[in-house]
Amino acid sequence: MTETTQTRTAPSGDGERSPEFRLAMDALSGLRQDLFHDAFAYRPLPLMATDGPLTRRLSDRPRSYAARLPQAAVVGLTVIAFFGGSVAAGTMGGPVALLSGLVCAAPVLATLVRPVGAFWMSMAATPLVSVLDGSLGEWPWQPGVFICHLTVLVVVAIRTRPRTAAWMWALTAAYAFLVETVIGDGAYSTSAPMLFLSALALLMVAVRHVRREARQEVTAQQTVTAHERSRRTLLEERTTIARELHDVVAHHMSVVAIQAEAAPYRVENPPAELERAFATIRENAVAALTELRRVLGVVRAEDYEAPDAPQPTLADLDALLANVRDAGLSVEKAVTGAVRELPPGVELSAYRIVQEALSNTLRHAPGARARVEVSYVLGGLGLRIVNDPIPELTLVKPSPGAGHGITGMRERVSMLNGEMTAGPTDDGGYEVAVFLPVTAPTEGEA
């Protein structure tokens, strides 16, 4: 048996490249983007935020100074690098020492405005300072340029991202390896201390970046969650209102259908046009009831059971207050104006608003006294539910709920084109004030 081996030539397209090749190309692309693309772009160091626990306690002028602490720290490190370079080259004379100090200080100062460019300036300053010093006693980083390069690595890493810091450390290690291999004849090599200290410092900066990004991600997720929770609460409240108002609307539509069917029999020899008109009214009323039940079936939960009793009105307010008193809340009621029958939707919403406001008082201010004021005015209905602050000697602790109560009240008020205010009172209590407009019926409607 003869075994035949076939050799296939892979296409040269990038889509058929090996994973290792693509990984290497991605790495080179990241290097080019981080350290070569627009390396000397003008990027001034921003001021420090002054909303921290310490800086927010300062007055205006000290706070403005505190905002410039990063710039002051870089300037201080620049002075240290300058003196480090000058002292190390002091044996070579005044001009050489001054020039060596300036070469060490320039990259550190450049981190204020051109961070990536400052790294390349520091890389260039390393052999230049060695040439100015004329000694290979400490190679390749003299004391001044050692401070300079380590400072530049840390500041640039803080101002950029961990990937950029990794590239800077890799280039620093490559430079140290090249120098040690080609020229490494110095008595003392500073490559190992530089690589160790810079790796440790950059690792700490990277951890700081990761923690800050994680904190920002958590904050963003919490904001989205709170927004979604608020949106879901609003939808749930609207669904609850739709369920409750179904009985009210269905009752009126049923009355319309029955009266339209019976009306022709109350008139002797009614015209054909009148019979057709009432038949049309009844058909439309029945169709509206059918559509109403269909729509309600979409928003109704599977475990929802329609209440057997009719929806409550303001006439049931005394029973509600009695139940609240049995729960331990001392509440009184005051009614002003001429009591009259209001539209069922207004009656139901007013009852629910009072119910929710008293429930909030039970949860948030146990042991406090509450007052319910119902005002019948010419243009509508006014409600005011106010409670006193929590007594100091109460044994029951507040039990905050999910915060859906105010949302539900506002939704009911908005549905009726009303107005609502809710907030703490001057004495430490809480007040809910609502006005529900009611259009006065015309003579024909009455």
Side-chain angles (χ1 to χ4, degrees):
M1 182 176 61
T2 304
E3 181 177 351
T4 304
T5 303
Q6 296 181 354
T7 304
R8 296 182 180 180
T9 304
S12 59
D14 292 341
E16 300 297 331
R17 298 289 188 181
S18 64
E20 294 79 5
F21 178 82
R22 290 197 298 269
L23 184 62
M25 293 304 296
D26 291 341
L28 292 177
S29 177
L31 173 62
R32 183 170 58 253
Q33 180 181 358
D34 291 342
L35 294 181
F36 289 92
H37 179 68
D38 207 6
F40 286 86
Y42 181 73
R43 300 167 188 169
L45 180 64
L47 299 178
M48 185 181 69
T50 56
D51 55 352
L54 296 179
T55 53
R56 69 163 60 103
R57 300 178 182 178
L58 302 176
S59 57
D60 294 339
R61 185 176 293 274
R63 186 182 301 177
S64 63
Y65 293 152
R68 294 176 172 81
L69 282 178
Q71 287 79 1
V74 172
V75 172
L77 292 172
T78 302
V79 175
I80 294 175
F82 173 79
F83 280 106
S86 299
V87 171
T91 57
M92 301 299 295
V96 175
L98 178 62
L99 182 58
S100 178
L102 292 176
V103 171
C104 294
V108 180
L109 192 63
T111 58
L112 290 173
V113 290
R114 306 182 192 277
V116 179
F119 166 74
W120 291 114
M121 293 173 61
S122 178
M123 291 292 290
T126 300
L128 181 59
V129 170
S130 299
V131 172
L132 291 175
D133 183 61
S135 172
L136 297 180
E138 295 180 351
W139 182 267
W141 282 280
Q142 305 294 328
V145 79
F146 189 97
I147 299 173
C148 166
H149 194 66
L150 186 61
T151 302
V152 168
L153 288 178
V154 174
V155 174
V156 177
I158 294 175
R159 297 199 55 192
T160 54
R161 53 182 175 174
R163 191 179 74 175
T164 304
W167 281 123
M168 291 190 301
W169 189 89
L171 291 179
T172 301
Y175 174 79
F177 177 77
L178 178 64
V179 171
E180 293 291 342
T181 303
V182 178
I183 321 177
D185 55 351
Y188 177 69
S189 173
T190 56
S191 297
M194 168 61 72
L195 295 180
F196 174 76
L197 292 177
S198 61
L200 184 62
L202 294 181
L203 180 61
M204 296 174 61
V205 173
V207 171
R208 173 179 175 272
H209 278 297
V210 171
R211 289 188 59 187
R212 183 178 62 181
E213 292 177 0
R215 191 182 301 113
Q216 292 175 350
E217 183 68 22
V218 170
T219 303
Q221 290 297 330
Q222 290 176 345
T223 302
V224 173
T225 302
H227 176 72
E228 291 297 329
R229 185 184 298 113
S230 176
R231 189 166 175 263
R232 185 178 65 251
T233 300
L234 183 61
L235 293 177
E236 290 175 353
E237 292 297 333
R238 289 179 178 178
T239 302
T240 302
I241 295 172
R243 294 169 183 166
E244 293 177 347
L245 292 182
H246 167 263
D247 294 341
V248 176
V249 178
H251 169 73
H252 287 287
M253 295 302 296
S254 299
V255 171
V256 170
I258 294 172
Q259 290 182 347
E261 185 176 9
Y265 299 99
R266 298 182 180 181
V267 181
E268 186 177 357
N269 298 323
E273 293 81 0
L274 184 61
E275 292 183 355
R276 286 195 299 269
F278 279 114
T280 302
I281 293 174
R282 182 182 180 281
E283 291 175 0
N284 289 333
V286 173
L289 277 172
T290 303
E291 292 297 329
L292 181 62
R293 293 190 182 97
R294 182 180 296 113
V295 172
L296 187 66
V298 174
V299 299
R300 176 172 290 165
E302 295 180 358
D303 57 349
Y304 175 78
E305 296 182 0
D308 297 332
Q311 295 292 353
T313 63
L314 289 176
D316 304 309
L317 199 56
D318 290 334
L320 172 64
L321 298 184
N323 292 334
V324 173
R325 293 189 186 101
D326 292 340
L329 178 64
S330 177
V331 58
E332 59 181 7
K333 184 184 74 169
V335 180
T336 59
V339 179
R340 65 184 187 276
E341 185 178 354
L342 300 175
V346 176
E347 293 264 356
L348 173 61
S349 294
Y351 179 91
R352 293 303 188 195
I353 289 172
V354 175
Q355 182 183 41
E356 186 59 43
L358 294 178
S359 298
N360 286 344
T361 301
L362 282 171
R363 287 193 297 265
H364 299 280
R369 296 176 57 87
R371 178 180 175 84
V372 177
E373 299 177 2
V374 183
S375 303
Y376 290 86
V377 296
L378 184 61
L381 178 70
L383 298 173
R384 181 174 179 267
I385 306 95
V386 60
N387 62 267
D388 297 335
I390 305 175
E392 296 181 358
L393 301 179
T394 182
L395 299 178
V396 183
K397 296 182 179 180
S399 56
H404 297 177
I406 297 297
T407 302
M409 288 188 281
R410 291 191 186 279
E411 189 62 23
R412 292 181 184 275
V413 173
S414 176
M415 177 190 63
L416 297 173
N417 296 323
E419 298 178 358
M420 172 181 167
T421 58
T425 59
D426 295 336
D427 61 354
Y430 200 83
E431 178 186 31
V432 176
V434 174
F435 176 74
L436 303 176
V438 177
T439 304
T442 61
E443 295 183 0
E445 296 173 342

